[in-house]
Amino acid sequence: MESVIGLEVHAELLTRSKIFCGCSAGFGAPPNTNVCPVCLGMPGVLPVLNRRVVEFAIRAGLATGCAVAPSSIFARKNYFYPDIPKGYQISQYELPICAGGHIDVVTEAGTKRVGLTRIHMEEDTGKNVHDAHVADSLVDFNRSGVPLLEIVSEPDLRTPGEAGAYLRTLRSILQYLEVCDGNMEEGSFRCDANVSVRPRGQKELGTKVEIKNMNSFRAVERALVYEIARQEQAIADGERIVQETRLWDADREETRSMRSKESAHDYRYFPDPDLLPLAVEPAWIAEIRRTMPELPAERRARLEREHGLSAYDADVLTQRKDVADYFEAGVRAGAPAKDMANWTMTEILRMVRDEKLDEALVIRTWPIGPTQLAKLIRLVTTGVVNRNTAKGLLPKLRGTELDPQELVRREGLAQVSDRAALEAAVRDVIARCPDQVAQIRAGKEKVMGFLVGQVMKATGGKANAQMVQDLLRAALAQSS
Amino acid sequence: MSALHDLSLRDAAMRVRRREVSAVELTRAILERIAATEPQVGAYLTVCGDEALAAAAAIDRRLAAGEDVGRLAGVPVALKDIICTAGVRTTAGSRILERFVPPYDATVTARLREAGAVIVGKLNCDEFAMGSSTENSGLGTTRNPWDGTRVPGGSSGGSAAAVAARSCFGALGTDTGGSIRLPAAYCSVVGLKPTYGRVSRYGVMAYASSLDQVGPLARDVADTAVLFDAIAGHDPRDSTSSPRPSRALAGSLEGGVRGLRLGMPREYFVEGMQPDVERAVREAVRVLEGAGASVESVSLPHSEYAIATYYLVATAEASSNLARYDGVRYGLRVANPGSSVGEMYAETRAAGFGAEVKRRIMLGTYALSAGYYDAYYLKALQVRTLIAQDFTKALAGCDALVAPIAPTTAFRLGEKTADPLTMYLSDIFTISVNLAGLPGMSIPCGFDGDGLPVGLQLIGKPFDEATLLRVAAAYEGSTDWHQRGPRL
Ligand SMILES: [Zn+2]
């Protein structure tokens, strides 16, 4: 059997204001504070399209090879729900702004081209709040009218792994375009999946099932794995797959059917008479094309070329724009590229991950600035501190604007490179550890590390590690 | 000197500006007139006397300080209660919004205020502007000032009745299928439905967004022009409002009709028309000819499809526009909202909407449903294009069209409420103009044997309200129908 997967992504746009009114589209304000009569759908009010949203949609379209429609229309999607204030959601249905593009996804099996059916603009809904302490349900309309792009792929994906890679690539592109922060947990990058299975070689698609409610990349992949297995099992058992919408339950690690009543919608789409057809002039597209930022694939190639990075390093560093920006800022501040790459990938990304900061788009909010890190690296490469000491300094630099050199001076952490002092320490350790010395002489090279550690300990961790190594070897060679 | 409330809007404004009469005095006079006529007419749903007097006092203070307070300085006007007024309840004639107080002014409201007008109250209408008699109001009955047993027309029935009753100097209504022109004709006042896009719809509760247009009703053509000038023009808050600048028309009504070519649509003089109505309209056309216009017969061949087209387009849009009245955020919520959100919607809407609104929501929902969309809504849009093309062709050879407003004069209260289809035929001569987005006007042109007013319709090219007003002014100059008022 083979599975066929298509993804629908809703990306919340990083515009300052909402799609049809001037309210702030910012996240995290107290309930119902970013609202006005328009986004509350009060009687008589009318939508006015935010030009910036169109620009973002065009940017996304150009970055993915879509054709931008010279004329597109907005439609009303009619349904009742407490969080949609007008009783309809303004979206694009027929004639979306972008169609027919693709995304190249790097998978284990090589690069795969995934088709995009369409990219269209729509408004977000509010949010129902069910508070256990209050008898009634409440609604927060801050998100109502926040602009979204819906990006619909062709059913070109075949495995959960491909789906995950597609999502990461798409998110990366949107982040590079600075149109979406890509935060799945906060819901600014949401995904629904359509999945069906069929015998390998069969042309026709199987009956598709839609899966909703997945709020991490992991959840998408887990949900697909589960759902594909479920469908294959059902077919093996001679059952028929029902076309339906299923929800991913992350706690129980399974998909389950939504009541059919909820999924059987007739949205009664029709062109919104309050909004004129949207005409996009070729000159505007040309202007946006001129100001398009470098995209992840281009940047990856450039980092390899300009900084001599390995393909792997370049890939890790360019998956997120802010990481790549960070790396390049450090190089500009004087850090050797390879060292900056290593420190960024190991120490900084670990810190970011451990502190769950990985969704911050803006480089300023990073725990340690790229210039600080570059200076720290310079202290290592010029022998002022050793690598371990430098690592130990990271937490002290975190969230400060301290100059690493200043910190080293203040804490007395400068590396001991005094030959006489180190020789004394080496002699002392050799004298104290006859067993280990004997083992080394018997060919157990690994024990060398123990002796180095002893010297470091004796010097409070500040010894120049390379010198300690050299001195130890010299001393052992002499006394043998 | 006649009573203050008998002045024209222009005279009243001039006297306030010259400080011969204060805005407060003028407002008091209108409030007294309202008190005197309302028992018979019932045009107002809300009279905001305190707010009006405060606004008038502010105008007087600014005048005393030598400020320019605008063309409508101190003149009491009233608004169809579908036009939002900040702080004053706006109901759309519906029980579902009986206590709704908008926190914002419609753009037209704001523009009237900027021009110095004093808003004295909100006028009755068919619920959400759906109707031709104002009998569909959930909140009150308005009677025709000429005959209390008759309807004032609709849906802007309160607006026309109040202007006819001299209980305001002018009013705003909305016209989706004839809702300004029909009541203007039934009540013998002037009503102008501007070109679609000429006046902002922001803050005007939507019935059918692609057809609705706000316009003025007044006692004569020049007053109508003054009100039109105050409200017309681009509004960045309404994407469908035209960006082209609106030129002031109040000063350019002279010029007459000599040399103008007027078309008479054959299809608008049908059998079954009340003979008095046809006679009055044909006589009016002769008057225009006498004044120098040439009149020829033109054809609007798709007219017979107008009613069906209108009821598909308008109800489809209405079914969507009225979805927001769901009891969640404002307006009515029934005391026992049931145990689920779905029941709460159903109970609230069942209790809050009247029969005609429900009928149209159901029609529109059906027309947009999967499987029917192509056969009904899409087809209606295609026919709408044909209807618009009819006008383009007819107007290519003429400056304006002249036609009747309605086949009959005002009918009796209750006479047609049991038969919605008969009621829908009241709008047969006005609906096409909305489908084509053109400007249309109704001016008084006589009375039938029962003393009920007849209206003459003028239809113009897009954004050419100027010609309509000019023809209307010329006609008005040759007749005195507009000077007659009802005995109240
Ligand atoms: Zn808003």
Side-chain angles (χ1 to χ4, degrees):
Chain A
M1 299 292 277
E2 123 180 299
S3 48
V4 177
I5 302 163
L7 297 177
E8 285 173 23
V9 167
H10 283 92
E12 224 159 76
L13 297 182
L14 286 168
T15 52
R16 272 198 302 277
S17 53
K18 293 185 178 183
I19 181 166
F20 297 122
C21 65
C23 290
S24 165
F27 186 83
N32 295 311
T33 53
N34 288 345
V35 293
C36 73
V38 174
C39 58
L40 285 173
M42 300 286 266
V45 297
L46 297 168
V48 176
L49 179 61
N50 179 346
R51 193 178 156 89
R52 195 98 173 120
V53 173
V54 183
E55 188 195 318
F56 280 16
I58 295 173
R59 264 201 243 172
L62 293 179
T64 52
C66 288
V68 179
S71 176
S72 63
I73 55 174
F74 284 93
R76 293 186 182 177
K77 179 179 180 179
N78 293 282
Y79 63 105
F80 285 98
Y81 207 61
D83 68 4
I84 59 161
K86 296 185 290 296
Y88 58 84
Q89 191 181 3
I90 304 177
S91 179
Q92 293 195 297
Y93 182 58
E94 288 174 297
L95 304 182
I97 179 130
C98 300
H102 60 263
I103 289 178
D104 289 329
V105 179
V106 180
T107 68
E108 282 160 13
T111 299
K112 174 171 183 142
R113 178 158 284 199
V114 180
L116 294 186
T117 315
R118 59 190 282 151
I119 299 177
H120 73 241
M121 300 171 276
E122 64 182 35
E123 57 177 345
D124 205 350
T125 63
K127 197 175 125 205
N128 291 337
V129 183
H130 306 288
D131 184 336
H133 304 291
V134 186
D136 292 315
S137 287
L138 305 172
V139 195
D140 177 4
F141 289 105
N142 281 348
R143 307 311 293 158
S144 148
V146 166
L148 302 177
L149 287 188
E150 184 170 327
I151 301 155
V152 182
S153 86
E154 294 286 313
D156 287 348
L157 299 156
R158 291 290 171 271
T159 65
E162 280 181 13
Y166 165 85
L167 286 176
R168 286 185 181 88
T169 309
L170 174 59
R171 183 173 79 158
S172 175
I173 291 170
L174 296 179
Q175 287 175 334
Y176 269 69
L177 296 170
E178 297 188 349
V179 303
C180 172
D181 69 13
N183 187 332
M184 274 189 106
E185 275 149 30
E186 285 179 3
S188 50
F189 187 83
R190 312 193 281 261
C191 172
D192 299 335
N194 287 305
V195 56
S196 61
V197 299
R198 64 181 172 192
R200 217 169 273 281
Q202 178 184 301
K203 271 223 146 120
E204 308 84 73
L205 295 175
T207 307
K208 78 173 178 191
V209 165
E210 186 182 26
I211 317 175
K212 288 180 179 291
N213 207 31
M214 303 167 290
N215 59 6
S216 68
F217 289 117
R218 192 185 126 84
V220 173
E221 292 183 40
R222 303 285 300 165
L224 286 171
V225 167
Y226 175 90
E227 180 59 22
I228 290 164
R230 186 190 72 84
Q231 290 187 22
E232 284 177 350
Q233 187 60 50
I235 288 169
D237 293 349
E239 292 168 25
R240 264 196 32 215
I241 305 294
V242 211
Q243 181 160 349
E244 61 177 349
T245 298
R246 296 176 73 86
L247 295 178
W248 171 244
D249 183 333
D251 295 331
R252 295 168 62 179
E253 290 252 320
E254 62 182 32
T255 64
R256 58 187 157 74
S257 185
M258 265 170 78
R259 279 179 296 135
S260 57
K261 222 171 124 188
E262 290 172 48
S263 52
H265 268 127
D266 176 359
Y267 290 118
R268 289 174 284 117
Y269 282 102
F270 74 107
D272 191 329
D274 289 332
L275 290 160
L276 300 175
L278 169 66
V280 176
E281 300 294 326
W284 193 18
I285 300 176
E287 172 61 26
I288 294 170
R289 201 186 287 281
R290 221 177 5 258
T291 56
M292 285 285 279
E294 185 180 40
L295 292 171
E298 301 165 48
R299 194 164 197 179
R300 193 165 59 232
R302 184 172 60 78
L303 291 195
E304 288 179 41
R305 196 174 62 241
E306 280 183 12
H307 301 297
L309 297 184
S310 70
Y312 174 81
D313 287 0
D315 186 49
V316 172
L317 289 174
T318 54
Q319 273 172 20
R320 290 184 39 187
K321 179 173 185 293
D322 52 353
V323 175
D325 286 346
Y326 186 89
F327 162 76
E328 292 209 281
V331 173
R332 274 197 305 277
K338 182 65 192 164
D339 291 314
M340 189 64 197
N342 283 339
W343 278 79
T344 304
M345 291 191 299
T346 53
E347 302 308 321
I348 300 299
L349 286 182
R350 183 181 52 72
M351 249 170 130
V352 163
R353 203 163 42 239
D354 290 352
E355 300 183 31
K356 293 196 189 297
L357 302 166
D358 62 333
E359 303 299 351
L361 180 76
V362 187
I363 203 160
R364 298 194 278 288
T365 66
W366 279 40
I368 292 162
T371 309
Q372 273 177 307
L373 180 62
K375 284 184 177 167
L376 189 64
I377 290 171
R378 293 290 294 166
L379 292 180
V380 177
T381 55
T382 56
V384 177
V385 295
N386 64 36
R387 202 181 153 80
N388 272 331
T389 306
K391 279 186 192 173
L393 286 178
L394 286 173
K396 292 182 180 162
L397 289 169
R398 191 205 180 311
T400 74
E401 297 194 348
L402 279 176
D403 184 334
Q405 188 150 17
E406 171 61 27
L407 187 64
V408 165
R409 189 160 54 240
R410 199 196 295 166
E411 306 236 330
L413 291 172
Q415 180 163 263
V416 177
S417 302
D418 177 337
R419 194 174 182 91
L422 288 182
E423 274 172 351
V426 164
R427 270 198 305 277
D428 197 37
V429 166
I430 289 176
R432 273 198 288 115
C433 307
D435 292 353
Q436 283 80 2
V437 169
Q439 283 175 5
I440 290 168
R441 288 196 174 129
K444 279 197 160 181
E445 267 293 314
K446 271 199 241 166
V447 181
M448 193 71 182
F450 174 80
L451 293 184
V452 173
Q454 290 298 305
V455 179
M456 295 303 280
K457 201 170 159 190
T459 59
K462 291 183 285 185
N464 180 324
Q466 194 56 52
M467 278 181 75
V468 170
Q469 290 249 11
D470 294 347
L471 289 172
L472 264 173
R473 284 194 193 287
L476 289 171
Q478 247 174 34
S479 55
S480 60
Chain B
M1 192 181 108
S2 58
L4 281 177
H5 66 248
D6 279 329
L7 296 173
S8 75
L9 181 151
R10 299 179 316 290
D11 283 349
M14 197 174 65
R15 289 187 195 205
V16 172
R17 262 204 310 281
R18 290 185 184 156
R19 302 186 64 200
E20 292 166 17
V21 60
S22 74
V24 167
E25 276 175 85
L26 199 60
T27 303
R28 284 226 170 85
I30 284 297
L31 291 172
E32 279 162 25
R33 179 66 180 171
I34 291 171
T37 54
E38 274 301 286
Q40 283 163 271
V41 180
Y44 283 84
L45 289 177
T46 303
V47 176
C48 39
D50 293 344
E51 291 92 337
L53 286 168
I59 294 281
D60 285 335
R61 275 196 304 278
R62 291 173 56 199
L63 273 168
E67 287 178 44
D68 176 15
V69 286
R71 254 196 97 74
L72 298 176
V75 177
V77 298
L79 308 177
K80 184 178 187 178
D81 204 25
I82 203 164
I83 298 170
C84 286
T85 39
V88 173
R89 77 163 186 161
T90 305
T91 67
S94 181
R95 287 167 59 202
I96 211 161
L97 289 176
E98 193 169 357
R99 284 185 291 275
F100 175 68
V101 178
Y104 47 92
D105 270 338
T107 296
V108 290
T109 308
R111 288 190 175 171
L112 286 178
R113 291 194 209 275
E114 277 160 32
V118 170
I119 290 158
V120 284
K122 305 301 292 292
L123 300 162
N124 199 15
C125 56
D126 285 299
E127 185 175 5
F128 288 103
M130 296 178 188
S132 310
S133 67
T134 309
E135 291 164 293
N136 294 330
S137 171
L139 300 175
T141 302
T142 301
R143 294 168 184 278
N144 191 311
W146 294 88
D147 177 347
T149 68
R150 306 273 173 166
V151 301
S155 65
S156 309
S159 301
V163 171
R166 307 291 189 258
S167 62
C168 61
F169 288 100
L172 296 188
T174 62
D175 191 314
T176 306
S179 282
I180 287 174
R181 289 161 288 158
L182 183 73
Y186 281 3
C187 295
S188 200
V189 301
V190 178
L192 172 64
K193 179 255 160 199
T195 310
Y196 184 80
R198 177 85 296 174
V199 177
S200 171
R201 294 184 294 116
Y202 182 85
V204 180
M205 295 176 185
Y207 157 24
S209 311
S210 75
L211 301 163
D212 295 344
Q213 188 64 189
V214 184
L217 296 100
R219 300 172 192 179
D220 63 23
V221 175
D223 282 0
T224 305
V226 170
L227 282 172
F228 173 73
D229 284 344
I231 60 170
H234 178 64
D235 177 12
R237 292 204 277 188
D238 176 356
S239 312
T240 62
S241 90
S242 168
R244 67 164 82 186
S246 180
R247 104 187 138 87
L249 302 179
S252 55
L253 303 180
E254 309 302 319
V257 291
R258 187 157 304 281
L260 287 188
R261 295 199 293 173
L262 303 176
M264 261 173 80
R266 271 194 286 285
E267 292 80 2
Y268 284 25
F269 293 86
V270 292
E271 268 192 44
M273 249 176 104
Q274 195 180 314
D276 284 350
V277 170
E278 182 162 357
R279 201 174 306 128
V281 171
R282 289 195 185 276
E283 177 55 31
V285 173
R286 272 191 290 280
V287 169
L288 285 165
E289 279 179 309
S294 64
V295 179
E296 60 202 83
S297 178
V298 296
S299 177
L300 301 169
H302 296 93
S303 295
E304 59 177 309
Y305 306 112
I307 296 250
T309 304
Y310 173 85
Y311 278 95
L312 286 169
V313 173
T315 59
E317 293 182 11
S319 71
S320 174
N321 282 333
L322 270 58
R324 70 190 63 199
Y325 307 109
D326 57 8
V328 172
R329 284 150 298 127
Y330 48 77
L332 178 75
R333 183 183 297 180
V334 288
N336 292 310
S339 57
S340 72
V341 171
E343 282 174 51
M344 193 267 284
Y345 290 152
E347 296 294 327
T348 300
R349 289 165 70 82
F353 287 139
E356 183 61 27
V357 170
K358 286 176 191 164
R359 183 152 44 231
R360 295 194 194 193
I361 289 173
M362 284 190 284
L363 260 171
T365 303
Y366 184 81
L368 289 177
S369 298
Y372 300 101
Y373 179 88
D374 288 2
Y376 294 112
Y377 184 73
L378 211 55
K379 186 67 77 185
L381 291 189
Q382 289 161 350
V383 179
R384 182 178 183 174
T385 305
L386 295 177
I387 290 170
Q389 285 168 354
D390 282 356
F391 279 102
T392 308
K393 280 181 203 145
L395 283 162
C398 334
D399 298 293
L401 305 181
V402 284
I405 286 286
T408 69
T409 53
F411 46 89
R412 288 184 196 284
L413 286 158
E415 189 181 328
K416 297 188 182 182
T417 41
D419 187 354
L421 286 178
T422 318
M423 182 86 91
Y424 294 170
L425 291 175
S426 316
D427 296 330
I428 190 162
F429 300 143
T430 50
I431 267 174
S432 301
V433 172
N434 299 76
L435 290 168
L438 302 173
M441 203 171 168
S442 176
I443 51 173
C445 75
F447 293 86
D448 71 4
D450 295 327
L452 295 167
V454 180
L456 175 70
Q457 181 167 217
L458 301 171
I459 300 164
K461 295 178 184 177
F463 300 99
D464 189 17
E465 286 82 7
T467 299
L468 293 190
L469 289 164
R470 193 171 129 202
V471 174
Y475 176 78
E476 201 179 70
S478 314
T479 59
D480 67 349
W481 307 117
H482 66 286
Q483 285 164 353
R484 303 195 190 177
R487 265 192 300 277
L488 282 169

